[in-house]
Amino acid sequence: MGSSIELIAGALASYLLGDSITQFSTVIGTYLFAMGIGSWLSRFIERGVPQRFVEIELGVALVGGLCAPMLFLTFALTDVFRVALYGNVLVIGTLVGLEIPLLLRILKDEVKFKDLVSQVLTFDYLGALAASITFPLLFVPKLGLVRTSLLFGLLNALVGLWSTWLLAPVLAHPMRLRVKAVALSLFLLVGLVMGDRLTHFSEEHLYSDDVVHATTRPTSGLS
């Protein structure tokens, strides 16, 4: 679900900085560049590939889930928003770039190579399509950027938890990973429940006067 976090970062930068064309172009470009870095780095992971894969999935869940809340607070309280924005995109893109090569290596003995590549990439691209459609039409209007970010992070954490059962025969410490996944899921769930408070706190520091009314619209949701 890395593409979902990419959309959140682009929308957030557009909302706070303006010039949506520039913001989306630079965020997407940085994200794709970071995916290339992640793919290149995957060659150095030689041992415990299934274990590393699940840990990376949980890393995507944590960084992606906290993306919008962290960036809103950074914009409201500091002067380093752009550094935080592109740093966040670089980290997420690198982690996502690591995932597909590692998944291919995990499954290479189970599926023929030509079928493996086509199936993995097909599901990856279909997931990106689903995210790009549901993000502006469903999630942002209903949840806002903060809670959408936390929701996608929670879904990634649950996928990581599910992976500990799918890959249990080849995992060195499945129970340890399950504990991490459950703890992370609970953490993000609490954040999701408190999403309105996080948004309100950020808004109070964005404006000099008190916020008396806030409305979420499909093009630029906050709460």
Side-chain angles (χ1 to χ4, degrees):
M1 297 182 184
S3 59
S4 304
I5 308 303
E6 171 194 11
L7 293 172
I8 290 171
L12 191 58
S14 299
Y15 182 87
L16 296 175
L17 300 177
D19 192 1
S20 60
I21 294 176
T22 298
Q23 305 311 328
F24 266 101
S25 296
T26 54
V27 166
I28 291 172
T30 303
Y31 177 78
L32 293 175
F33 170 70
M35 285 186 65
I37 294 176
S39 297
W40 182 77
L41 290 175
S42 68
R43 64 192 295 182
F44 298 106
I45 300 178
E46 299 180 355
R47 297 181 180 179
V49 173
Q51 190 91 3
R52 300 288 87 79
F53 174 79
V54 177
E55 290 172 347
I56 290 169
E57 185 70 30
L58 297 180
V60 172
L62 177 62
V63 180
L66 296 180
C67 174
M70 184 271 291
L71 289 178
F72 270 124
L73 291 175
T74 300
F75 185 85
L77 303 176
T78 73
D79 297 321
V80 295
F81 175 77
R82 291 182 186 274
V83 175
L85 170 66
Y86 293 107
N88 189 279
V89 173
L90 278 170
V91 171
I92 295 174
T94 300
L95 292 175
V96 173
L98 282 164
E99 284 185 317
I100 292 181
L102 295 184
L103 182 60
L104 291 173
R105 288 162 60 181
I106 292 170
L107 299 177
K108 65 181 176 63
D109 295 327
E110 305 295 329
V111 184
K112 290 182 179 180
F113 183 74
K114 65 175 183 178
D115 295 329
L116 174 61
V117 173
S118 65
Q119 290 176 16
V120 170
L121 293 181
T122 296
F123 282 113
D124 183 59
Y125 295 147
L126 286 175
L129 174 62
S132 66
I133 294 174
T134 57
F135 175 77
L137 299 180
L138 176 62
F139 291 113
V140 173
K142 298 295 183 182
L143 299 177
L145 287 174
V146 169
R147 286 186 292 175
T148 297
S149 178
L150 290 163
L151 175 62
F152 284 140
L154 176 60
L155 293 176
N156 270 289
L158 294 175
V159 170
L161 179 61
W162 181 44
S163 299
T164 63
W165 272 276
L166 290 178
L167 303 175
V170 291
L171 288 174
H173 306 287
M175 187 54 65
R176 187 182 304 174
L177 289 173
R178 286 169 192 164
V179 171
K180 292 180 181 179
V182 170
L184 179 57
S185 298
L186 292 175
F187 172 72
L188 293 171
L189 181 60
V190 171
L192 183 60
V193 172
M194 298 179 62
D196 286 338
R197 296 184 183 180
L198 292 171
T199 301
H200 181 71
F201 178 81
S202 300
E203 289 175 338
E204 288 295 328
H205 289 80
L206 281 175
Y207 309 105
S208 56
D209 297 321
D210 293 337
V211 176
V212 297
H213 178 71
T215 301
T216 299
R217 293 182 299 172
T219 54
S220 56
L222 259 180
S223 59

